[in-house]
Amino acid sequence: MGKSQKKRQMRRHNPVRVPDSHLPKGLDSASASSSKREAILPIMQKMESPDAAERKWACVAVSNLIQNDPSTRRLLQGKDIVGTLITRLSDSEEEVVVEAAGSLRNLCIDGGYDICAEMYNKNILSPLKTFIPKISGILSQYLENPKTAPENAQKLVYEFADNVITILWCLSETSNKALNAINQIGLVPFLMSFLGSKDKLLLSTITSAAQSLYVLTDDNPPISNEVRSNGEYTACLLAIARGDEETRKPNGKGKDVSDDRETALRVLCTGILRNVSPIPPPSVAAMVDIDNELILPTLLPVISSVSLSEISQRVQELIAQEDAVPEMEKLSLKGTPKSDHKSPAELELERLERHMRTVQLAVEILTGVSATLPDPEPEVEDDAEAQDDGMDEDGDDEAEGSDEEADIEPQPQRNAAPSALPTIVEPLLALIQPTPLSFPPTAGAASPHPPTTSALSAIHICALECLNNIFLSLATPAQLQGRGFASDADREAGPKIWDAVWRALAAVGTDVDGPGQERRRDVWQIGVGVLWGIAILWKGILVPQVEQVNVLVQLCTAASDPAVKVKCIGTLECLAQHPQSIDGNRMISQFLVSLLAQPAAVPTEPLLQAASALIDIYSDETAPYDVVFRQGGYLQALTAAVEPVRKVVRGIDRKRERDLRRRGEEVRDNLVAFVEYRRALRL
């Protein structure tokens, strides 16, 4: 079977918060769909005002305008709001600099990768670099003696530092070039200084520092090595992850302290420790089994205690309650607007979003833990490769299959059984079930609350990825060898899990090609991989349902991604092997034979998967459904497919697609041997 390799974890804790793919492209369409276009020109003019109060007002107004409004964000981008705000980072007035950083932060979070790339290309790192030592100095003064620190120290330590840290976190996910540039700044001591002072600072800023460090230590050796090698850093992270410190209310700011923020911080520190593990002695963290002693006990309660349907319902109630204050009133120059002025409903909506993002992060970390598949095979040495390349394409590469067994990857020992799965699988199955706010309406309209929709859909996708890793990890050949179900409960678990995944996919719907429906499409593409893993584990137990088979066939036919086609074929192959489902077997096998009949129209990997599937389905001539093979004349169809498959395999580049070439040679050899075997049976 085609195996799911360890997928490099997407690091963005807050992917595009307000998706705008449902909107038509171009500034004209953005102008037509924005209700605030008249406010943009005055804001841009006041950005250049000689009056610092007006410049500050303009920076704050940008944050107000873009909130949950991608159309207006696009219009502001067209007016070079990014370049203008970066210029304001060098403003002579400190308050203008702080507000400009806040607007840039919000643009990063709401706009995603494109805006971050624009910021990097417009050299935002130059002013940001100068802020790090300034914030560090004021932080030191503030921690030593808050009374002698500068008057604005608290604002700089909390709000401004939070903005700068968040911008750097977002930029680090933009490109390797941006990440490498940020690596050179030396951020680790700066970020750890916030985490190390957890008992004296606000949780919001500390959490931002942890989020940035989590991103920077993920698959980024310069930063992860720096954290790993410092025993004080890892001990600090371990203490926070374990919850060793009591929740406290720094500086009387009790309103900032919440279980949500504490939980988010613990989850982040757990993720950082996993990113930098294994941790060497003499750190106290070196003695901890990160996965089993820290991650599972910390994260399972996080994903088990949330009800997405209840959150969705509460968000809808808050939207209905929210006062419809005219936007221009918020922008009145009478009393400069405050960037943190939010209604109770807005504050609760943010809290709910923060809670969902914590759940998303927890699932992302568990996805990494669940990726227990072996690493890809090591490179073949040059001399062996050269010897392979010298072989005759037509004849003696038939003999290469004889060496296949020597190249089988070592597989991990099975350390889980179906009966052990419910602890993690059950909460994940709950997290994949869509709510009314999980996706934008299929008619192309925007979500009633885009941040909630973005968070919910991200959780569904992360949970599916985690399930995908769990089931495909358990479905490796070594794991399956000699597998038997220890109890009736184990046998019954498969159909229940199968039904739960199908229930989620049915709720998502098949209308995935419209504007803004990319997340629905992602759910199906990952979901069919989950189905394949379940089908392998409970092969012969799952009954092929006509409607489900038809959906898989249609998805396989319509999918443009060969990997999705392979997953569909692999799932159908397993369903076809339910002993009593002869009609279901016939439906599936006829589709697979039709793929082999049109090799020029089917991509290479799905074609090989179809041939391999038919061999596996009919490898036992005593199976009840073997009658379908005989009555359908499949021996003749497979005989006719031998030469086209040989031709396809010869066309696979031996150097560029080594794994696929090896897989093709294996299928080709198996097909030839299978045809000879079935002929010899004379059935």
Side-chain angles (χ1 to χ4, degrees), residues 262-283:
E262 286 283 0
T263 301
L265 184 59
R266 288 186 64 200
V267 170
L268 284 164
C269 289
T270 301
I272 295 167
L273 286 169
R274 187 167 204 280
N275 287 345
V276 304
S277 62
I279 298 166
S283 170

Side-chain angles (χ1 to χ4, degrees), residues 344-520:
E346 289 173 324
L347 290 172
E348 187 172 355
L349 285 169
E350 286 190 356
R351 183 189 66 78
L352 291 171
E353 182 189 0
R354 189 165 60 243
H355 183 48
M356 287 188 287
R357 294 298 181 185
T358 300
V359 173
Q360 178 194 344
L361 176 63
V363 178
E364 284 178 0
I365 297 169
L366 286 171
T367 300
V369 175
S370 302
T372 57
L373 290 181
D375 290 324
E377 296 178 31
E379 294 288 324
V380 177
E381 294 183 10
D382 291 343
D383 56 348
E385 184 178 316
Q387 185 177 356
D388 278 348
D389 290 341
M391 290 186 176
D392 176 44
E393 286 286 312
D394 292 322
D396 47 359
D397 67 1
E398 299 274 42
E400 291 175 35
S402 62
D403 294 329
E404 279 295 317
E405 292 185 3
D407 294 321
I408 293 176
E409 301 175 21
Q411 302 287 349
Q413 292 297 312
R414 183 167 189 171
N415 50 21
S419 58
L421 291 178
T423 54
I424 184 170
V425 170
E426 286 185 10
L428 290 173
L429 291 175
L431 293 179
I432 67 173
Q433 304 301 326
T435 76
L437 292 181
S438 290
F439 304 98
T442 54
S447 160
H449 192 251
T452 294
T453 294
S454 175
L456 286 170
S457 60
I459 289 172
H460 299 326
I461 288 169
C462 287
L464 283 167
E465 288 176 334
C466 193
L467 288 168
N468 181 74
N469 276 355
I470 289 171
F471 292 126
L472 289 186
S473 294
L474 292 176
T476 56
Q479 303 277 23
L480 291 170
Q481 188 173 11
R483 174 177 64 78
F485 291 102
S487 67
D488 290 340
D490 288 340
R491 291 179 59 85
E492 293 169 1
K496 290 179 181 178
I497 296 170
W498 176 263
D499 290 343
V501 176
W502 271 107
R503 189 163 60 250
L505 293 173
V508 170
T510 55
D511 189 359
V512 300
D513 294 323
Q517 301 307 316
E518 295 84 1
R519 292 287 192 164
R520 292 184 195 265

Side-chain angles (χ1 to χ4, degrees), residues 16 20 25 77 111-121 174:
V16 183
D20 58 7
K25 302 299 181 185
Q77 282 181 264
Y113 294 108
D114 290 342
I115 281 186
C116 291
E118 183 182 352
M119 290 182 188
Y120 175 76
N121 291 334
T174 303

Side-chain angles (χ1 to χ4, degrees), residues 2-254:
K3 288 177 289 189
S4 173
Q5 296 297 339
K6 293 179 184 176
K7 181 180 179 183
R8 186 175 181 275
Q9 185 174 307
M10 284 203 59
R11 295 183 300 195
R12 175 168 285 279
H13 177 50
N14 190 5
V16 183
R17 182 169 178 263
V18 188
D20 58 7
S21 56
H22 62 284
L23 296 175
K25 302 299 181 185
L27 289 178
D28 289 341
S29 62
S31 179
S33 57
S34 171
S35 60
K36 307 169 190 172
R37 56 187 179 276
E38 302 300 329
I40 289 177
L41 183 58
I43 288 172
M44 298 304 298
Q45 290 172 341
K46 292 182 189 301
M47 281 281 185
E48 308 295 337
S49 171
D51 185 346
E54 290 194 343
R55 297 198 302 274
K56 177 184 174 183
W57 175 90
C59 292
V60 174
V62 170
S63 291
N64 289 332
L65 281 184
I66 67 169
Q67 186 175 13
N68 300 344
D69 190 344
S71 296
T72 303
R73 185 182 71 233
R74 285 182 173 186
L75 283 180
L76 284 165
Q77 282 181 264
K79 299 293 185 181
D80 191 26
I81 190 62
V82 170
T84 303
L85 287 170
I86 291 175
T87 300
R88 295 276 70 81
L89 291 179
S90 303
D91 199 280
S92 57
E93 289 291 330
E94 201 165 68
E95 288 193 359
V96 176
V97 174
V98 171
E99 297 299 348
S103 291
L104 286 164
R105 168 197 181 275
N106 292 343
L107 280 168
C108 280
I109 291 177
D110 272 15
Y113 294 108
D114 290 342
I115 281 186
C116 291
E118 183 182 352
M119 290 182 188
Y120 175 76
N121 291 334
K122 291 182 176 176
N123 200 26
I124 193 175
L125 285 183
S126 288
L128 291 184
K129 287 177 188 177
T130 66
F131 298 148
I132 303 301
K134 179 178 181 180
I135 295 172
S136 294
I138 295 174
L139 175 63
S140 296
Q141 293 181 50
Y142 183 76
L143 293 174
E144 287 174 10
N145 191 340
K147 293 181 180 179
T148 62
E151 184 179 345
N152 65 343
Q154 195 173 88
K155 186 179 183 70
L156 291 174
V157 167
Y158 294 148
E159 183 180 334
F160 185 56
D162 195 331
N163 292 335
V164 170
I165 290 168
T166 303
I167 293 170
L168 289 168
W169 141 36
C170 292
L171 289 175
S172 69
E173 300 178 288
T174 303
S175 66
N176 285 332
K177 185 183 292 186
L179 178 62
N180 290 335
I182 290 171
N183 284 345
Q184 304 304 313
I185 298 177
L187 280 179
V188 172
F190 174 69
L191 296 174
M192 285 302 307
S193 67
F194 286 92
L195 291 167
S197 305
K198 178 177 181 286
D199 59 332
K200 299 177 181 178
L201 301 174
L202 288 181
L203 274 172
S204 57
T205 308
I206 299 166
T207 304
S208 294
Q211 176 64 69
S212 184
L213 197 60
Y214 170 70
V215 168
L216 288 170
T217 54
D218 182 22
D219 198 20
N220 183 27
I223 302 297
S224 58
N225 288 340
E226 185 176 353
V227 175
R228 178 187 300 118
S229 60
N230 189 306
E232 290 185 8
Y233 292 167
T234 53
C236 173
L237 291 166
L238 181 62
I240 297 174
R242 282 175 162 171
D244 290 350
E245 301 177 24
E246 294 183 0
T247 303
R248 64 286 165 283
K249 299 181 179 181
N251 305 319
K253 298 281 185 176

Side-chain angles (χ1 to χ4, degrees), residues 582-657:
I582 295 175
D583 289 339
N585 178 282
R586 183 178 290 107
M587 281 182 64
I588 294 168
S589 60
Q590 286 176 347
F591 172 66
L592 298 178
V593 168
S594 73
L595 295 179
L596 291 184
Q598 45 179 342
V602 180
T604 299
E605 291 176 78
L607 184 72
L608 294 174
Q609 189 68 36
S612 177
L614 285 165
I615 295 169
D616 287 346
I617 293 169
Y618 297 111
S619 60
D620 180 5
E621 69 278 5
T622 66
Y625 48 72
D626 195 70
V627 63
V628 176
F629 183 90
R630 301 191 298 272
Q631 292 177 349
Y634 290 174
L635 179 56
Q636 292 86 344
L638 291 174
T639 301
V642 169
E643 191 52 41
V645 168
R646 275 189 176 137
K647 184 177 179 181
V648 166
V649 173
R650 285 198 297 267
I652 302 172
D653 190 292
R654 195 188 299 275
K655 288 184 178 179
R656 295 180 182 176
E657 299 178 288

